[in-house]
Amino acid sequence: MLKDNLKTVEENINLACAKCGRDRSEVTLIAVSKTKPLEMLEEIYEAGARNFGENKVQELCDKIELMPNDVEWHMIGHLQRNKVKYIVGRTSLIHSVDTYRLAEEINVQAKKKNVTVPILVEVNIADEETKFGTSASDAILLVEEIASLENVAVKGLMTVAPNVSNPEDNRLYFRKIKQLSVDIAEKKIDNVSMQVLSMGMTGDYMVAIEEGATMVRVGTGIFGERNYVHRR
Ligand SMILES: *Cc1c(COP(=O)(O)O)cnc(C)c1O
């Protein structure tokens, strides 16, 4: 049962918080529902989940229409500029902003709708060729540039850590991006907050919490393995 999965994840979050002396309220669990059917989202919603993460614009928009209004939607996947217009004003947070040009387009669409769009800057913290995200060394400059956009609000950083079998192997990367967010916060850039640190997935969210994650994105741990084979 998905409810039991959710309960297990909740228990693990509690354990991780207890281990490092953090309050449970500092960590938001995002249920990553990409590729999963509506019934499964509804089941988790019934069990109390209110934060859902999706990585495709079309799927996100479809699910927004069909789920209750009090769901907070997180765009966590690579975002193309020509699709920005479909999601601006509809998500609580866009986690995956990694270029100024993308932020600029979000700003244009946000102005049209007279909203301010909260975003995170995605950092490729382990410098993996296969991953999106700005490099750690370019992150500060990118944040400073985006800060000048009136209708975009930087709330923090996001990273997708390497796919490892031992979560301890990612601890150094979590520590590195946490330090980066502290460094940026110390610059006290106007219109920039570093209150959110989105990191940790099914394989490593407990370590991520110990290293300062304020949002963990858990898919498989709640919904089970994804099957991409039967999808178009
Ligand atoms: C799919 C995805 C997740 C969830 O991954 P799991 O390993 O299934 O928990 C988290 N973050 C991003 C950006 C994703 O694309």
Side-chain angles (χ1 to χ4, degrees), residues 17-57:
C17 285
K19 189 172 169 194
C20 60
R22 297 181 65 193
D23 197 277
R24 172 65 187 88
S25 65
E26 292 173 32
V27 181
T28 300
L29 170 62
I30 299 172
V32 176
S33 47
K34 63 189 185 197
T35 80
K36 297 298 178 182
L38 199 65
E39 305 83 71
M40 292 179 99
L41 278 72
E42 284 166 349
E43 190 176 338
I44 289 296
Y45 178 91
E46 287 301 322
R50 290 297 178 273
N51 287 271
F52 288 81
E54 290 284 338
N55 70 339
K56 295 258 187 320
V57 167

Side-chain angles (χ1 to χ4, degrees), residues 8 70 77 108 125 148 192 204:
T8 303
D70 63 345
V108 166
I125 199 68
S148 68
V192 169
D204 55 18

Side-chain angles (χ1 to χ4, degrees), residues 103-156:
E104 215 174 19
E105 175 62 14
I106 295 171
N107 192 54
V108 166
Q109 298 302 330
K111 271 212 167 82
K112 277 189 193 164
K113 291 185 176 140
N114 203 20
V115 294
T116 299
V117 176
I119 64 132
L120 303 179
V121 168
E122 180 171 358
V123 181
N124 183 356
I125 199 68
D127 265 324
E128 291 177 282
E129 262 172 34
T130 53
K131 295 250 165 87
F132 291 106
T134 182
S135 68
S137 51
D138 291 344
I140 295 185
L141 194 63
L142 180 57
V143 169
E144 280 171 344
E145 283 175 340
I146 296 176
S148 68
L149 300 170
E150 279 181 355
N151 291 53
V152 173
V154 178
K155 297 294 181 192

Side-chain angles (χ1 to χ4, degrees), residues 69-80:
N69 281 332
D70 63 345
V71 168
E72 305 225 19
W73 294 99
H74 298 260
M75 175 58 188
I76 61 173
H78 182 64
L79 181 56
Q80 289 170 321

